[in-house]
């Protein structure tokens, strides 16, 4: 079993929560995606934070390009490892 993870970067918490829900519906992921707040360097304001959706893909069945396009629907992107 490999340890493949995809990280989707989203502009805010609402977008990250919507993406996590939509991932389960569109890609039928088995495991719940993790949401992580990523504060921008030097910023204390909660408004100046990106949110990450971390998704395990042990079977390597998810296409990185499709995930990038998917995240783009919420003004996000897939971070390259």
């Amino acid at each position: 079993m490999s340890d493949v993870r995809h990280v989707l970067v989203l502009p805010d918490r609402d977008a990250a929560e919507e993406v996590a829900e939509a991932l389960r519906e569109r890609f039928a992921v088995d495991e719940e995606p993790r949401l992580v707040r990523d504060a921008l360097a030097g910023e204390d304001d909660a408004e100046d934070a990106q949110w990450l959706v971390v998704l395990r893909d042990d079977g390597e069945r998810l296409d990185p390009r499709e995930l990038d396009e998917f995240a783009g629907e919420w003004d996000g992107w897939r971070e390259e490892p």
Side-chain angles (χ1 to χ4, degrees):
M1 180 184 294
S2 67
D3 186 26
V4 174
R5 294 174 196 258
H6 300 283
V7 177
L8 306 180
V9 182
L10 287 303
D12 56 47
R13 183 182 186 132
D14 290 340
E17 289 174 346
E18 289 177 24
V19 164
E21 183 65 32
L23 276 167
R24 289 191 293 272
E25 294 171 9
R26 190 177 302 181
F27 295 99
V29 297
D30 297 329
E31 187 174 313
E32 179 93 17
R34 283 186 336 159
L35 279 77
V36 179
R37 181 179 177 272
D38 183 33
L40 300 176
E43 298 294 335
D44 293 328
D45 188 353
E47 295 297 317
D48 293 327
Q50 296 173 325
W51 282 79
L52 309 178
V53 176
V54 181
L55 175 65
R56 286 184 52 183
D57 184 19
D58 293 333
E60 297 184 51
R61 64 179 189 82
L62 300 173
D63 182 335
R65 287 181 300 221
E66 284 184 43
L67 289 173
D68 190 39
E69 290 174 11
F70 174 75
E73 295 174 23
W74 285 270
D75 297 323
W77 64 90
R78 179 184 164 274
E79 189 71 25
E80 287 293 327

